[in-house]
Amino acid sequence: MPLVAPSILAADFANLGEEVRKVSDAGADFIHVDVMDGIFVPNITVGPSMVKAIRGFSKLPFIVHLMITHPENHVKAFAESGSDIIEVHIEAEQDLRSTIRLIHDLGKKVGLAVNPPTPIESAFPYLKDIDMLLVMSVNPGFGGQTFIPGVLPKIPKAKEEMRRQGYVVPVEIDGGITPETGEPSARAGADILAAGTSVFKAPDVREAIRRLRECGASKL
Ligand code: DX5
Ligand code: ZN
């Protein structure tokens, strides 16, 4: 069964600490923080000081999804603010190998994110050097978008290549994840479901997380 990473992009920003506490108490496995710079993506969200401010509200690992250009200039600040897994985009302007090394040198885990139009094969040369693969199921920039089912074949392709290389890391899927889209995602092999709207806008957050965790499980 997949793990669940609520994306605080859909939370109440006036009460972000309490929102993080709420999903942690409701059974989440990670906290997913979306960082946008207005350049790599059109939107702007939060920075390291916000990660630091909310860090104390949960003991869960923080996945910090950097949708920013030149992430190498900022990974130190995010590491020091309490991020556990730092995700960078393969499409972002940077020397990816040195960014990966830098994150590891800071003692943090590396996630590599791949946008919908980017072929998954472009991540293959890096699979042995990363701790998580993030398959984007929307074009990043905004919460509440519609899931793109065409990305799903990327998951078994990546898993097969990982097995071939003898090093398998978890695959997270992010964007438009609901119990309905989480189901085919988990069946395709997604290990972690990142979900903003379907968790934070749900009438019952605990129930929303429970339904996501049951995705892909045999209902017999
Ligand atoms: C997209 C972000 C996602 C997304 C999740 O740019 O990386 O984390 O906002 O939100 P929902 O689940 O609402 O698509
Ligand atoms: Zn995200």
Side-chain angles (χ1 to χ4, degrees):
M1 286 196 282
L3 300 174
V4 181
S7 157
I8 60 164
L9 192 57
D12 173 6
F13 268 45
N15 295 297
L16 218 40
E18 287 307 324
E19 292 278 82
V20 166
R21 197 197 311 272
K22 182 173 78 180
V23 288
S24 302
D25 291 348
D29 299 289
F30 299 90
I31 301 297
H32 181 103
V33 182
D34 286 308
V35 176
M36 307 186 187
D37 67 352
I39 299 170
F40 181 70
V41 289
N43 201 1
I44 298 179
T45 56
V46 301
S49 53
M50 182 60 87
V51 175
K52 190 173 178 193
I54 60 176
R55 180 62 270 198
F57 288 81
S58 172
K59 289 190 166 48
L60 295 176
F62 274 36
I63 299 174
V64 175
H65 177 193
L66 299 183
M67 290 160 273
I68 66 176
T69 193
H70 285 296
E72 72 277 15
N73 294 337
H74 303 279
V75 291
K76 187 163 185 280
F78 281 103
E80 288 171 352
S81 69
S83 313
D84 299 286
I85 301 151
I86 300 179
E87 294 178 329
V88 296
H89 269 265
I90 196 164
E91 303 86 2
E93 211 175 297
Q94 65 185 310
D95 174 348
L96 183 53
R97 286 210 184 275
S98 77
T99 306
I100 291 171
R101 208 174 313 121
L102 184 56
I103 296 170
H104 279 150
D105 287 348
L106 289 161
K108 305 298 175 183
K109 292 194 166 149
V110 177
L112 184 60
V114 179
N115 278 341
T118 305
I120 195 66
E121 288 76 6
S122 58
F124 288 0
Y126 303 97
L127 292 177
K128 268 191 141 57
D129 303 312
I130 61 175
D131 307 290
M132 191 180 281
L133 181 68
L134 175 57
V135 172
M136 291 303 301
S137 42
V138 298
N139 287 302
F142 301 92
Q145 301 187 75
T146 305
F147 180 79
I148 302 171
V151 305
L152 285 181
K154 289 179 171 182
I155 303 175
K157 267 193 209 171
K159 285 277 174 88
E160 193 186 319
E161 178 63 16
M162 288 176 193
R163 281 191 289 269
R164 200 187 65 74
Q165 295 189 21
Y167 180 68
V168 180
V169 297
V171 176
E172 182 182 15
I173 189 161
D174 182 18
I177 297 293
T178 64
E180 289 68 39
T181 60
E183 188 69 37
S185 303
R187 290 200 185 282
D191 304 287
I192 301 166
L193 304 176
T197 308
S198 75
V199 170
F200 281 101
K201 306 286 191 238
D204 181 341
V205 166
R206 179 173 292 276
E207 173 67 6
I209 292 172
R210 191 191 61 76
R211 286 187 68 197
L212 288 172
R213 185 166 296 106
E214 284 188 353
C215 286
S218 169
K219 304 287 189 294
L220 293 175

